[in-house]
Amino acid sequence: MVVLAVHGGAGGDGPWRGMTDADPQRVACMTALLESLGAQLAAGTLSATDAVTLAVEAMEDEALFNAGLGSVMDESGSVSMDASIMRGEDRAAGAVIGLTASTHPIRVARHLLEQGWPVVLAGPAADEFGAKNGVEQNEAEWFVTDLRRAQWTKWKEQRLRPGATDEEDALLDHDGEEDGWGTVGAVALDVHGNVAAATSTGGMTGKPMGRVGDTPIIGAGTWADERVAVSCTGVGEAFIRTVAAHSMAVHHRTMPLETAGDRVLDEVAPFGGRGGLIAVNTNGEVVMPFQTMLMYRGVYQNGAVEVGIGPSFIQPS
Ligand code: ASP
């Protein structure tokens, strides 16, 4: 049995309001990559680590997700991206922080994983490492889309409004926005019974310069070991303070995957963390809990693809 699950970010408050005009494009992206990579995973031509790398790359290429092209902008109006990847069987990991030039941050993290040491690289040196390993580089402007510029402008105007709170200074990329969702992640189980996890993000609109969320922190936003692989999305600070992805693995030693996922989100919530996660274990069980209005998500399992945004999966038309 093989499994590939992806998420494209969680967010929003209140009841699910239905799809936006941009959602079909996000759904199409997830469906296409799940069909193609899921089939290759099932055929045994992809490892779990390859599947999560390629899945996240495909979502980095989709401008409507907040990773790679179309990442959100920080307080200065620039894009900086974080990513991490972990292979369960030997706990090999790679993480990159504050990339500004690499088209595929997850591929840079993957090269680090393969190299074996160091596990984390930050800033221009991380982009240089990517370039040296053949990862395409771009000018800063290449990553910026009209949608993200509009979100940033709105954030800037609100922030300059007298009485704006600190909380409003760093908005989750999707809060209050119809079309701003989008940290991306993937977890997979391959034919050899190995699992892997990967996560990639532009962070949060208006984040302070140098701010690092949970996404590139092994154990917080991403985790994989000999039993389970986890990728998280949400208010990163709370996922860091609860070491959310690793906690999921620890809980799962003594409780079912579903209970462990719900437990982790319960633990994150008191720290201001709203979000979700996806996880797969070596038995082929998969969970995708979230405590926000929505979480873009999809899964390839038993040869079939299911994709959802709100509470239920989208019924094929
Ligand atoms: N976790 C990401 C961060 O804090 C944001 C997100 O998942 O929406 O940078």
Side-chain angles (χ1 to χ4, degrees):
M1 144 154 350
V2 303
V3 177
L4 176 62
V6 296
H7 70 75
D13 281 324
W16 163 237
R17 295 194 293 267
M19 293 224 264
T20 68
D21 290 348
D23 281 344
Q25 194 173 322
R26 296 186 176 102
V27 167
C29 171
M30 292 192 290
T31 306
L33 76 88
L34 286 166
E35 282 173 356
S36 146
L37 299 176
Q40 294 174 61
L41 202 54
T45 53
L46 283 185
S47 67
T49 314
D50 286 338
V52 296
T53 308
L54 292 166
V56 168
E57 274 189 337
M59 294 175 89
E60 288 173 340
D61 284 341
E62 170 50 70
L64 290 172
F65 291 119
N66 172 21
L69 174 68
S71 288
V72 300
M73 299 160 83
D74 67 18
E75 65 177 351
S76 73
S78 309
V79 164
S80 68
M81 302 165 289
D82 305 328
S84 67
I85 182 166
M86 191 165 188
R87 182 166 65 201
E89 64 205 273
D90 58 356
R91 300 198 192 183
V96 289
I97 293 172
L99 299 187
T100 59
S102 300
T103 306
H104 293 122
I106 201 62
R107 183 60 66 179
V108 185
R110 173 68 189 272
H111 281 297
L112 265 182
L113 178 153
E114 296 298 339
Q115 182 173 284
W117 188 93
V119 169
V120 188
L121 274 183
D127 277 318
E128 275 162 35
F129 172 80
K132 226 185 292 167
N133 283 279
V135 179
E136 185 185 273
Q137 305 288 296
N138 291 291
E139 297 299 316
E141 271 305 299
W142 181 85
F143 294 92
V144 178
T145 60
D146 291 347
L147 169 70
R148 298 311 186 190
R149 196 180 296 287
Q151 285 176 345
W152 181 81
T153 304
K154 190 171 162 192
W155 165 80
K156 188 102 179 136
E157 283 164 9
Q158 285 174 353
R159 182 170 174 255
L160 294 177
R161 213 180 48 211
T165 64
D166 284 351
E167 257 183 340
E168 286 168 324
D169 280 359
L171 299 176
L172 192 62
D173 64 277
H174 21 66
D175 274 358
E177 294 292 339
E178 285 292 307
D179 282 322
W181 285 261
T183 288
V184 306
V187 294
L189 167 68
D190 65 23
V191 289
H192 305 293
N194 297 320
V195 294
T199 318
S200 180
T201 191
M204 296 158 94
T205 299
K207 65 184 180 181
M209 305 291 289
R211 179 261 185 188
V212 181
D214 60 319
T215 302
I217 298 183
I218 298 297
T222 303
W223 179 259
D225 61 20
E226 37 302 306
R227 287 189 199 89
V228 65
V230 188
S231 171
C232 301
T233 175
V235 180
E237 284 68 14
F239 285 78
I240 294 171
R241 292 166 70 197
T242 53
V243 205
H246 181 254
S247 289
M248 173 86 193
V250 173
H251 289 324
H252 185 40
R253 288 179 199 157
T254 56
M255 62 182 84
L257 196 67
E258 189 175 351
T259 320
D262 293 343
R263 174 74 67 91
V264 167
L265 294 188
D266 285 350
E267 287 169 355
V268 170
F271 295 93
R274 294 175 305 106
L277 60 85
I278 55 173
V280 64
N281 65 17
T282 46
N283 297 329
E285 294 165 332
V286 57
V287 293
M288 299 188 276
F290 56 101
Q291 66 211 149
T292 42
M293 178 177 78
L294 62 80
M295 180 168 79
Y296 291 93
R297 63 201 186 281
V299 60
Y300 173 96
Q301 204 174 16
N302 302 321
V305 169
E306 286 184 297
V307 176
I309 306 176
S312 22
F313 285 123
I314 297 163
Q315 298 307 319
S317 47

